[in-house]
Amino acid sequence: MHILITGGAGYIGSHTVKKLVKTGHQVTVLDNLSKGWRAAVTNARLVEGELANQRLLCELLQAEKINAVMHFAASSLVGESMQCPADYYANNVTGSLILLEAMREVGVPYFVFSSTAAVYGELVEIPIPEDHPTIPTNPYGATKLALEEALPWYYQAYGLRYISLRYFNAAGADPEGELGEDHDPETHLIPLVLKTALGQAAEVKIFGRDYPTPDGTCVRDYIHVTDLAQAHILALEALAGGVVPSIYNLGNGNGYSVLEVVQTAEKVVGKLLPKAFTKRRAGDPAILVASAERIKRELHWKPCYSDLQTIIETAWRWHQKNPLGYAKY
Ligand code: UFG
């Protein structure tokens, strides 16, 4: 198939591009490089452009005879979304609807959507199954949920076949060392911890120690980015095989607290790291842990790299080799 990957120069997108190309698919990346990196796209054509440019989208879908779209391009920071909800609605809702409109106009049948655990909000059940209530605690989750809610109607009216993948905490780096996680500014826990180990940050800030969790710090389900990438291949194959549109969680079912992440990182880097407790970050739910039984059962997804130590080891290898991230290229 020929697949358009929006946001393919970003963290999860670039790892998925690599896996798709390896599997024998043709890939075109659309990215405005606001968050992504040219150097992260090494084996596919990169088109620099905006999601909101419907004409560009239609031309691209038509000229490249695209069979499927994987839609990674989005604003995706919980904290930032609390400050700038309008940007999140513009990028994640309006931008995505323009993409769907272009797909409808050209007749592209398959859509894999990057959704998030942030659609759930505070929990009534752990691990979280896909049919858990969705009451987001931040605009990021709300905007992803808004698109998810549109998809069944697009399927019913226009036959758009979709799979929505709700990522928990994507982490780690390409086990072959070619790709990694590089956000500017960096806000994610694991890269920040590793930057502290490299001496690029003074200390690890731990946001909140009064959550209702065993050690008082937030619990998250960290899932290796290469395992996420593999789930996209399975989703694509399932869509092509005629599976009914679905929503799947992508996590590994184990929760780790912020303190546990820091302690595991200390083991991996071989030294203790300076830490400071600060106040809670707005919008953060206390616990997010997935049940990924549905995708394991239905699509035979099997995470291979997702124990915390492997996640941090792969990330550490990339950060050591690329202390300036992609910026040096
Ligand atoms: N944290 C700290 N200190 C830091 C950075 C983060 O204590 O310097 C904490 C956060 O408060 C949170 C945990 O570490 O409890 C993980 O934070 P991240 O910023 O790494 O990730 P988030 O859980 O906020 O969000 C990530 C993705 C979202 C996705 C979510 C789903 O960025 O897109 O996982 O679980 F929705």
Side-chain angles (χ1 to χ4, degrees):
M1 283 208 236
H2 191 169
I3 303 137
L4 179 72
I5 312 272
T6 73
Y11 172 45
I12 307 174
S14 61
H15 284 77
T16 305
V17 170
K18 177 173 175 176
K19 231 183 199 321
L20 281 165
V21 171
K22 253 190 164 172
T23 316
H25 293 288
Q26 198 183 340
V27 172
T28 297
V29 170
L30 176 73
D31 202 300
N32 66 4
L33 298 181
S34 64
K35 298 272 169 26
W37 304 94
R38 199 179 292 281
V41 185
T42 52
N43 43 13
R45 177 180 169 217
L46 169 65
V47 177
E48 211 178 317
E50 295 295 333
L51 206 54
N53 186 343
Q54 191 172 332
R55 173 116 57 98
L56 168 71
L57 289 171
C58 286
E59 282 169 9
L60 203 54
L61 295 174
Q62 208 143 35
E64 300 291 337
K65 299 191 172 48
I66 298 290
N67 314 101
V69 174
M70 291 188 183
H71 180 34
F72 294 90
S75 301
S76 63
L77 299 175
V78 168
E80 182 187 66
S81 78
M82 299 293 284
Q83 313 300 324
C84 334
D87 293 348
Y88 277 68
Y89 277 88
N91 284 339
N92 297 357
V93 181
T94 311
S96 299
L97 291 177
I98 291 170
L99 173 62
L100 291 183
E101 200 49 30
M103 289 177 66
R104 191 162 79 87
E105 200 177 314
V106 176
V108 179
Y110 305 131
F111 185 64
V112 181
F113 178 56
S114 297
S115 186
T116 170
V119 299
Y120 294 114
E122 293 300 344
L123 302 189
V124 298
E125 189 182 345
I126 303 172
I128 309 172
E130 287 84 353
D131 57 4
H132 185 283
T134 45
I135 308 169
T137 56
N138 53 67
Y140 170 52
T143 56
K144 287 289 183 175
L145 185 61
L147 200 80
E148 270 197 1
E149 287 175 343
L151 290 174
W153 302 110
Y154 278 63
Y155 172 55
Q156 189 176 307
Y158 314 125
L160 177 77
R161 306 184 75 85
Y162 67 90
I163 286 184
S164 182
L165 298 174
R166 290 178 176 165
Y167 312 149
F168 282 63
N169 285 58
D174 174 27
E176 292 169 2
E178 289 172 11
L179 303 167
E181 180 170 15
D182 184 4
H183 302 103
D184 185 17
E186 189 54 78
T187 62
H188 292 91
L189 179 63
I190 291 177
L192 283 172
V193 170
L194 298 179
K195 277 175 186 288
T196 309
L198 285 171
Q200 295 173 356
E203 61 192 10
V204 178
K205 291 194 166 49
I206 298 173
F207 299 150
R209 64 189 314 181
D210 57 349
Y211 284 98
T213 60
D215 65 19
T217 66
C218 281
V219 170
R220 294 288 181 275
D221 180 334
Y222 295 88
I223 177 82
H224 196 283
V225 65
T226 298
D227 288 329
L228 286 186
Q230 178 61 16
H232 289 75
I233 312 257
L234 297 175
L236 187 70
E237 287 168 357
L239 285 172
V243 80
V244 287
S246 275
I247 293 176
Y248 294 110
N249 283 338
L250 288 177
N252 67 42
N254 296 315
Y256 295 97
S257 72
V258 174
L259 271 178
E260 284 172 317
V261 169
V262 177
Q263 282 155 3
T264 308
E266 288 178 329
K267 218 159 65 186
V268 170
V269 306
K271 60 180 174 193
L272 291 177
L273 301 171
K275 319 173 230 331
F277 287 95
T278 67
K279 64 179 176 30
R280 291 181 177 197
R281 185 174 67 180
D284 274 343
I287 302 179
L288 284 172
V289 178
S291 162
E293 291 313 308
R294 181 187 282 179
I295 190 163
K296 288 180 182 165
R297 192 175 59 243
E298 294 183 7
L299 305 191
H300 310 295
W301 179 62
K302 197 167 167 281
C304 300
Y305 301 102
S306 286
D307 72 277
L308 188 58
Q309 176 131 350
T310 306
I311 287 175
I312 297 179
E313 278 168 2
T314 55
W316 180 230
R317 275 205 294 277
W318 192 80
H319 279 276
Q320 277 180 300
K321 210 171 110 201
N322 303 277
L324 301 177
Y326 288 113
K328 74 169 184 198
Y329 295 100

